[in-house]
Amino acid sequence: MRKPHEWLLDASIYFSFDRSGSERHARTWPGFRDRLRSGPDEALTGLVTGGSRGIGAAAVHRLRGMGHRVLSCGRSEQAEDTDYRTLDTGDWAAVARTVETLPPLDFIALNAGAMPERFTLNADGVELQMASQLFGHYLLVHNLARAGKLREGARVVWMSSGGMYLQRLHLRHLFENDRYDKVATYANVKRAQTIVNAQMARMPLFRNVGCFAMHPGWVDTAGVREAIPGFWRWTQGRLRTPEQGADTLVWLVTRASSGEGAADASSALESGGFYFDRRRVSPYLVPGTRETATEREALLEYLERLLAPYQVGVTP
């Protein structure tokens, strides 16, 4: 139970999303240990996209330290890591090919993200943030599910961002984006991720899979320093470490489904939910940012149309 002053600190956002918020929230977590979800003798197998640096690299390191096999991917090359592969999730043909090479997975963290400075299209003529962070990830998990490579009880985790709280879904900017602003585009894509996650939880294709979205708070990464240096300077010294940013991701993919280790002993993971610091939270904090049912349906219909040339032909 949070005390009144903690409610005020969380309501400030600044003292919730920053490092002090992570440290304060962690003091309420009842005994979560670095343990194997499937039992002491069975490690999980998973994939983390964007695993070469920042939050993704921190998640890979911690999960491997827990005894799990973690594959990772990113746009850079890492020859020294045999479980790493080079993959740009904006290259949809490459994503489709990669699914064929992956083993069955117990979890997948959809973490890859970036903010191109200028308006950029992928090979299919789609704005790159939407192409890589939204559809590329959706294509990846869709094809894994169709190919039977998401094991029963597998966890899918979308790494969204607190920046999406100020953003209402703007469908036209997802599809066309004729007035590109990297930060607004990023927030719009991250808002769309939370919506897609909630919709996936209702799909028959993912009926035996847990679908979750989360945000990591404000984290000190090279990506933040490079993409939004003004924000980084304003929050310098108060940003979370990549390890703190990765904590909820690790918690979501490893904790038991019974509710053990939850921030609230009465809570349990709920597929389709949005999480922050090991607690389910609302993705709508600002009035006027909630999309309509028609907009949700239009978003999914658009993604389904894009799937046609790239989806695997295996019936789940």
Side-chain angles (χ1 to χ4, degrees):
M1 181 70 69
R2 285 181 290 176
K3 298 177 181 178
H5 76 280
E6 292 174 331
W7 283 99
L8 290 173
L9 289 171
D10 286 345
S12 75
I13 300 299
Y14 188 90
F15 295 107
S16 180
F17 291 9
D18 75 338
R19 184 182 300 177
S20 72
S22 174
E23 294 167 350
R24 178 167 50 83
H25 296 155
R27 290 195 290 270
T28 70
W29 299 336
F32 173 74
R33 302 183 306 279
D34 286 354
R35 60 188 182 278
L36 304 182
R37 169 159 58 92
S38 299
D41 300 319
E42 183 180 354
L44 304 174
T45 299
L47 171 67
V48 177
T49 71
S52 60
R53 63 178 191 169
I55 295 171
V60 170
H61 178 76
R62 184 171 172 192
L63 286 163
R64 287 177 177 173
M66 295 165 67
H68 303 296
R69 184 191 178 194
V70 186
L71 310 173
S72 65
C73 62
R75 290 176 295 171
S76 62
E77 295 185 2
Q78 279 192 0
E80 70 279 6
D81 185 349
T82 57
D83 275 334
Y84 176 88
R85 61 203 64 203
T86 303
L87 176 67
D88 180 352
T89 52
D91 183 343
W92 300 342
V95 170
R97 291 192 301 270
T98 294
V99 168
E100 300 171 0
T101 71
L102 292 171
L105 299 176
D106 299 293
F107 66 85
I108 178 169
L110 307 175
N111 169 74
M115 289 187 204
E117 192 68 31
R118 295 178 178 82
F119 180 72
T120 307
L121 300 175
N122 78 339
D124 290 80
V126 175
E127 189 279 318
L128 194 56
Q129 290 198 56
M130 187 277 191
S132 60
Q133 298 174 51
L134 182 61
F135 181 72
H137 279 149
Y138 182 66
L139 171 65
L140 180 59
V141 294
H142 180 278
N143 278 4
L144 284 169
R146 283 183 61 86
K149 291 192 174 183
L150 292 181
R151 289 178 173 144
E152 184 170 357
R155 309 277 169 83
V156 176
V157 180
W158 292 84
M159 179 64 71
S160 185
S161 166
M164 66 95 200
Y165 271 119
L166 297 175
Q167 179 68 46
R168 190 182 191 282
L169 178 67
H170 199 307
L171 284 169
R172 190 176 68 82
H173 283 179
L174 274 180
F175 305 154
E176 300 175 11
N177 211 317
D178 52 355
R179 295 184 179 180
Y180 180 75
D181 176 279
K182 65 179 183 180
V183 175
T185 299
Y186 184 81
N188 196 33
V189 168
K190 293 301 183 181
R191 168 62 72 188
Q193 287 180 340
T194 68
I195 297 167
V196 171
N197 173 70
Q199 295 296 101
M200 282 172 52
R202 300 180 177 91
M203 295 179 186
L205 182 63
F206 298 101
R207 62 182 174 273
N208 295 320
V209 174
C211 301
F212 310 101
M214 60 159 289
H215 82 87
W218 294 339
V219 182
D220 190 354
T221 65
V224 169
R225 294 194 295 273
E226 294 163 4
I228 43 177
F231 173 80
W232 181 80
R233 287 191 294 270
W234 176 59
T235 53
Q236 189 176 6
R238 300 204 61 89
L239 294 175
R240 298 176 176 213
T241 66
E243 291 72 23
Q244 289 171 324
D247 180 83
T248 296
L249 187 162
V250 172
W251 177 77
L252 283 168
V253 302
T254 60
R255 63 164 280 206
S257 60
S258 64
E260 182 182 359
D264 180 336
S266 66
S267 68
L269 292 181
E270 184 171 342
S271 188
F274 185 65
Y275 288 81
F276 171 57
D277 280 353
R278 304 191 190 182
R279 182 184 295 274
R280 188 177 183 193
V281 296
S282 172
Y284 307 100
L285 294 183
V286 179
T289 56
R290 188 182 295 271
E291 73 287 342
T292 66
T294 299
E295 288 169 325
R296 287 195 295 271
E297 292 167 4
L299 173 59
L300 266 295
E301 287 172 2
Y302 180 71
L303 297 184
E304 291 296 322
R305 289 198 299 271
L306 293 176
L307 279 172
Y310 298 105
Q311 64 183 351
V312 296
V314 178
T315 302

